[in-house]
Amino acid sequence: MIDKIRMAELTSQEAREHLDDKAVVLLPMGSLEDQGIHAPMGDYLAADLMAMEIAKAARADGVATFVAPVIPFGGKDYFESSHGGISISHATLCGILDDMFGCLHRHGIRKLMIVNGHGGNVPAITEVALRWRQKAGLFVPSMYLWQVAYGELPALIGADKAAKSSGHGGDPLTSVGLHFYPDLLRPDLVRPSPTGSAIKGLTISGFSTISYDGAKIQVPIEALEATETGAYGCDPTLCSAETGSALTARLAAIGAGLVRDHVARGLHD
C-alpha cells in the first residue's frame, strides 16, 4: 500500500494505480466561524486531522484509505455574524458535494465516507447523500465528529465534568484543538461562557432559540446575540489536551471501525 494518504499528494499515475474500486475515500469538511475567542476559527483544521487519524487507523486494519482535500467553508447559519468568518449557501455547498461525488463516481470510486465538523453542513450532506443513493446506488455515511464526541465524553471524563465542559466553544472542539494544535489557542482568553442573554425581552436559550413558558421557540437570531465570546452553555476552562487526546483516539477508533466493517465492504444498493 502506498504511504501517501492525502489524495492531493498523489501523482496522477499513483492515483490511477491506487484509487481503485477497493479504495475508501474520506471527505472532510468543517467551517470558518467563531469557535470561542480563545480558539482558531477554522474547525475544518480539526476535521481534516481527524480524517487523517481515521485513515491511518483504517490502514492499520488493512484498508486502503485516502483523504480528499477538506471543504473549509460551512453552510450558512447563525454563525455568519462571526467577524472574519466565511460561510456558503446551502445550494452552493450542495453543489460542491454533488460535484465531488460525481467526479469520484466517474472514476469508479464508490466507497466514500464524510467526516464532518460543522452542524450547518448536515442539511446539505443529507440532501446530496440521498440524491446519490437514489440515482446511483451510493450509500455514503457521514460521521458528525462533535455529535459523536458529545456522546463519548461522559465515559471519558465523567458525566458531571462532561455536562459542564460540553458546548460550543468548549468540549469537544477546544480539547481536540489543545491536542492537535495547542500553539494556535489562546489560554489567556479562556473563560466560562456568558449567561443571561436576551433579545426583545425574551431569554435566549440557544443559538437559534428563545425560551417562552418553558418551551424553546425558534427565532431568527445570530450567534453573536447569544454570546459575545463564541462560547455557549459550557465552561472552556475545563477543557484539556488530555481530554482531546482521549477523544481523538476514540473518534479514530469509531471511524476506522466503520470504514473497516462497512464502508470498505461496499455500502451500495
Side-chain angles (χ1 to χ4, degrees):
M1 192 183 305
I2 192 171
D3 290 336
K4 296 177 182 178
I5 296 177
R6 295 189 182 278
M7 286 175 62
E9 296 176 358
L10 297 174
T11 70
S12 59
Q13 181 59 35
E14 289 169 341
R16 292 185 186 98
E17 294 173 358
H18 298 282
L19 294 179
D20 55 20
D21 60 358
K22 296 182 180 62
V24 172
V25 172
L26 305 181
L27 308 177
M29 56 195 303
S31 69
L32 184 68
E33 66 178 30
D34 193 342
Q35 307 294 346
I37 57 175
H38 58 277
M41 293 176 68
D43 68 2
Y44 71 86
L45 297 170
D48 181 56
L49 291 170
M50 273 309 317
M52 287 293 291
E53 292 300 309
I54 292 170
K56 291 174 185 176
R59 283 188 170 210
D61 289 334
V63 181
T65 309
F66 297 86
V67 176
V70 64
I71 301 175
F73 306 127
K76 285 187 184 297
D77 57 15
Y78 30 81
F79 281 104
E80 197 171 18
S81 58
S82 301
H83 187 86
I86 298 175
S87 58
I88 57 180
S89 70
H90 175 89
T92 299
L93 186 56
C94 282
I96 292 171
L97 284 170
D98 205 44
D99 286 346
M100 291 179 75
F101 278 38
C103 289
L104 295 170
H105 183 263
R106 175 184 178 182
H107 297 290
I109 303 166
R110 296 168 56 83
K111 297 176 180 178
L112 311 176
M113 185 172 89
I114 293 172
V115 180
N116 179 37
H118 177 54
N121 294 337
V122 172
I125 292 170
T126 301
E127 178 177 330
V128 174
L130 278 170
R131 179 159 58 242
W132 275 90
R133 183 185 182 192
Q134 292 161 1
K135 78 175 185 179
L138 294 187
F139 196 89
V140 181
S142 175
M143 183 177 178
Y144 181 11
L145 294 167
W146 317 138
Q147 184 180 66
V148 175
Y150 282 132
E152 297 295 319
L153 270 168
L156 294 175
I157 64 175
D160 289 343
K161 184 176 180 181
K164 295 175 183 177
S165 69
S166 296
H168 194 271
D171 275 332
L173 190 54
T174 290
S175 286
V176 170
L178 286 168
H179 169 67
F180 275 139
Y181 35 76
D183 293 345
L184 298 183
L185 279 89
R186 289 281 303 275
D188 58 305
L189 295 177
V190 176
R191 62 180 187 268
S193 58
T195 59
S197 299
I199 187 169
K200 298 186 181 295
L202 297 166
T203 300
I204 293 175
S205 57
F207 284 123
S208 63
T209 62
I210 53 89
S211 178
Y212 175 74
D213 196 18
K216 283 190 175 184
I217 309 298
Q218 286 192 307
V219 291
I221 61 176
E222 296 190 281
L224 194 58
E225 294 173 309
T227 169
E228 62 186 15
T229 69
Y232 188 84
C234 63
D235 185 354
T237 66
L238 299 174
C239 300
S240 68
E242 291 74 22
T243 296
S245 177
L247 265 178
T248 297
R250 180 62 182 141
L251 291 172
I254 293 171
L258 184 60
V259 167
R260 179 194 65 234
D261 296 338
H262 299 285
V263 181
R265 297 183 180 183
L267 297 173
H268 306 141
D269 291 338

